[in-house]
Amino acid sequence: MSKLWGGRFTKQTNHLVDEYTASIGFDQKLAEEDIQGSLAHVTMLGKCGILPLEDVETIKGGLNKVLEKIRKGEIEFSVSDEDIHMNVEKNLIAEIGPVGGKLHTGRSRNDQVATDMHLYLRKRVVELSGMLYELQKALIGQARDNLDTIVPGYTHLQRAQPILFAHHLMAYVSMFQRDIERLMDSYKRINVLPLGAGALAGTTFPIDRHFVAEQLQFDRVYENSLDAVSDRDFILEFLSHASIIMMHLSRLSEELVLWSSTEFNFIELDDAFCTGSSIMPQKKNPDVPELVRGKTGRVYGNLMGLLTVLKSLPLAYNKDMQEDKEGMFDTVATLEGALQLFAPMIATMKVNKPRMREAVNKDFSNATDIADFLVGKGLPFRQAHEVIGKTVLYCIQNGKYLLDLTMEEFKQFSPLFDDAIYQVLQPETVVNARNVYGGTATDQVADAIKRSEVLLRMTEQWLEEHQ
Ligand code: ARG
């Protein structure tokens, strides 16, 4: 069979052109969505009296056949049919004869492909939210087990103040919560129907776009036909959100890599999530977080790629826009790959509590609290800061930590010191002193865990409503 658009042409297409312009190699991923959209479209054509109902039934039967064959892998897609839309149509016509050619009435591939992508992405956004939710649950589980685990908190990767390990983990729960909320919010803009925009200007047939929207469970239809066929900002928005998710995952990855080094030795990733070295038998490498960190680059690249493809494109559809797909598919696969490993990897991670404790005991991360102690005795904070700076310097020069100092030694730096300082300096006291909403005190973190449960319930509900 010749090209579906062959009428105007006097020659065959150069086969290199076929190969160069075809998208079937990757857009076959949209087969389910394409047929779903076509079923709704043809039902509408029947309802509006544009096609006789018996034709509609024949076409629907044919589409379902084609779908079944695609699922069974019985259809060989052809590059000369360019894309998934024309491959499906060709197979439909092969299945039911020329009546199949009526399906494309009142429609263009331009509004068709846009519809497919909206259908595809709205599913992925729900799936990915669900995977982020699983990761949150794993992090919260570890946080609950580590409500009494104190670790150094860092700034500039220098020990700063002791915190609960649970508090550190809950920071990621908050990040992933915003990621989920961003995806949920984007759903509103994805769940809009482009179909009915035609090639760019609408159609002469008396179609009912709202009926199609209802069948496909879209909340709204695009207001403007030109916008409907040339909008790809719903994909850009997804790629932006995906980039932020990867950025968050890359930070957690980096910490997992650091923490599992011999130098930190704070955690151990389960054997099932690590790999070995082909030459050094002792090695256990954190390949998964390393690779997630590395794959962040391709997701950012996909965002930059599409932003650049769309830059300065005149309205409405241009073939350039076919370049919107591979980056999107790749981003979805990259995110899914990372998230499906991250939840179980976090859940099975072993936390080396004694080692964390040792790190806290052997550092100066309680220094701020002595300054605060002196402030409590009436010394201005700037002066207190100076006093403690000198005290710390003395400790460093004498190989001591603050808790090793005798009262006599303390008094050298300020007469305001008294025995209470030894209690103030205990890591537990330091942590629990930060008893402010959102702070690291045990009660606060326990409350934060409770509040996160409420958020989990909200996500569960949203997921249920959008399955
Ligand atoms: N394969 C095309 C794409 O992905 C479908 C739309 C083609 N439209 C056109 N007017 N050539 O963008």
Side-chain angles (χ1 to χ4, degrees):
M1 229 195 295
S2 62
K3 293 256 193 281
L4 287 170
W5 42 252
R8 186 231 176 275
F9 288 76
T10 55
K11 273 190 184 177
Q12 295 283 312
T13 321
N14 181 312
H15 73 98
L16 289 176
V17 172
D18 272 346
E19 274 162 35
Y20 190 68
T21 56
S23 53
I24 187 63
F26 46 88
D27 68 11
Q28 50 184 274
K29 275 206 168 69
L30 296 172
E32 300 264 341
E33 287 79 7
D34 197 68
I35 291 173
Q36 190 187 357
S38 288
L39 286 167
H41 176 69
V42 76
T43 306
M44 179 278 291
L45 292 177
K47 185 217 119 184
C48 294
I50 299 166
L51 288 190
L53 290 178
E54 68 222 68
D55 288 355
V56 170
E57 285 319 306
T58 312
I59 293 172
K60 280 179 153 179
L63 282 169
N64 282 319
K65 266 262 177 61
V66 174
L67 180 59
E68 206 183 295
K69 283 189 169 175
I70 292 177
R71 283 182 179 158
K72 287 190 184 149
E74 285 170 12
I75 284 186
E76 221 178 281
F77 295 116
S78 128
V79 163
S80 74
D81 291 324
E82 200 177 319
D83 55 26
I84 185 62
H85 325 296
M86 291 197 293
N87 269 275
V88 168
E89 197 177 321
K90 265 283 181 72
N91 278 281
L92 175 67
I93 292 168
E95 200 68 54
I96 61 171
V99 63
K102 295 188 177 185
L103 167 64
H104 211 50
T105 311
R107 180 177 83 166
S108 152
R109 274 186 296 154
N110 296 349
D111 55 350
Q112 187 181 354
V113 69
T115 302
D116 291 4
M117 309 259 278
H118 281 75
L119 287 169
Y120 171 85
L121 208 50
R122 84 175 176 191
K123 255 190 248 160
R124 303 290 96 81
V125 157
V126 175
E127 260 169 34
L128 289 166
S129 301
M131 296 177 99
L132 284 164
Y133 156 89
E134 292 297 332
L135 175 53
Q136 282 184 314
K137 281 208 299 194
L139 286 161
I140 293 168
Q142 283 285 3
R144 236 187 257 110
D145 293 344
N146 285 285
L147 253 180
D148 56 351
T149 312
I150 302 180
V151 269
Y154 296 80
T155 64
H156 311 264
L157 203 55
Q158 303 288 323
R159 290 182 186 176
Q161 290 171 353
I163 54 171
L164 292 185
F165 188 52
H167 194 50
H168 197 121
L169 295 172
M170 290 303 290
Y172 284 104
V173 172
S174 289
M175 293 177 228
F176 295 128
Q177 183 61 30
R178 288 194 295 278
D179 289 336
I180 289 174
E181 288 173 15
R182 265 187 283 271
L183 290 178
M184 288 174 169
D185 193 66
S186 73
Y187 190 95
K188 297 183 222 152
R189 283 170 295 282
I190 299 172
N191 208 25
V192 185
L193 175 75
L195 206 66
L200 75 163
T203 172
T204 55
F205 293 95
I207 61 166
D208 183 345
R209 298 184 64 204
H210 293 95
F211 177 78
V212 177
E214 223 171 90
Q215 281 187 90
L216 294 173
Q217 291 166 340
F218 281 107
D219 297 325
R220 291 176 290 145
V221 304
Y222 269 85
E223 289 292 316
N224 179 294
S225 62
L226 285 164
D227 182 41
V229 289
S230 50
D231 171 33
R232 294 293 182 272
D233 57 20
F234 69 103
I235 304 177
L236 281 179
E237 191 177 342
F238 169 70
L239 295 176
S240 314
H241 297 342
S243 295
I244 297 176
I245 294 169
M246 286 305 288
M247 179 274 292
H248 284 151
L249 284 173
S250 77
R251 296 183 78 168
L252 180 52
S253 295
E254 172 70 7
E255 299 207 301
L256 295 176
V257 171
L258 278 174
W259 291 341
S260 53
S261 68
T262 309
E263 285 69 16
F264 273 85
N265 193 18
F266 281 180
I267 60 153
E268 187 183 350
L269 296 176
D270 194 81
D271 276 7
F273 295 94
C274 291
T275 56
S277 156
S278 58
I279 172 166
M280 297 164 284
Q282 84 284 9
K283 294 290 296 286
K284 175 170 159 183
N285 295 329
D287 278 25
V288 172
E290 287 175 89
L291 208 46
V292 169
R293 195 174 57 180
K295 282 180 187 284
T296 304
R298 66 198 285 158
V299 173
Y300 290 5
N302 291 335
L303 170 62
M304 287 306 139
L306 186 59
L307 277 170
T308 312
V309 165
L310 295 173
K311 178 185 175 295
S312 315
L313 269 193
L315 301 188
Y317 178 84
N318 302 269
K319 186 71 171 179
D320 313 43
M321 290 160 72
Q322 183 168 286
E323 285 292 301
D324 59 1
K325 289 174 199 60
E326 284 166 289
M328 178 182 75
F329 293 143
D330 181 71
T331 299
V332 167
T334 305
L335 274 179
E336 289 185 348
L339 288 170
Q340 98 193 350
L341 284 172
F342 247 75
M345 185 174 68
I346 292 291
T348 54
M349 161 182 99
K350 273 200 212 75
V351 177
N352 189 347
K353 297 186 186 196
R355 165 66 194 135
M356 286 179 172
R357 182 66 197 203
E358 186 194 323
V360 167
N361 288 343
K362 293 209 168 123
D363 77 0
F364 294 100
S365 60
N366 46 7
T368 314
D369 292 66
I370 337 183
D372 291 352
F373 173 84
L374 293 180
V375 168
K377 302 265 175 203
L379 199 65
F381 181 78
R382 260 317 130 217
Q383 280 178 44
H385 188 288
E386 173 78 12
V387 167
I388 309 310
K390 294 241 158 68
T391 317
V392 169
L393 183 63
Y394 170 86
C395 286
I396 292 169
Q397 287 167 345
N398 291 277
K400 295 184 169 193
Y401 292 99
L402 290 164
L403 272 169
D404 302 331
L405 297 181
T406 62
M407 189 39 57
E408 215 168 59
E409 286 173 303
F410 271 123
K411 294 265 194 207
Q412 282 173 39
F413 299 99
S414 169
L416 294 172
F417 281 116
D418 59 45
D419 276 346
I421 194 64
Y422 294 106
Q423 191 47 46
V424 166
L425 286 177
Q426 293 301 326
E428 280 74 15
T429 319
V430 174
V431 162
N432 285 315
R434 275 136 187 95
N435 195 9
V436 24
Y437 190 99
T440 194
T442 313
D443 287 350
Q444 294 296 342
V445 178
D447 275 357
I449 291 176
K450 260 190 227 132
R451 289 196 299 272
S452 73
E453 304 281 355
V454 177
L455 295 174
L456 288 181
R457 297 291 93 76
M458 277 167 57
T459 305
E460 273 164 29
Q461 203 184 326
W462 185 87
L463 290 172
E464 230 166 79
E465 287 165 10
H466 293 82
Q467 283 314 333

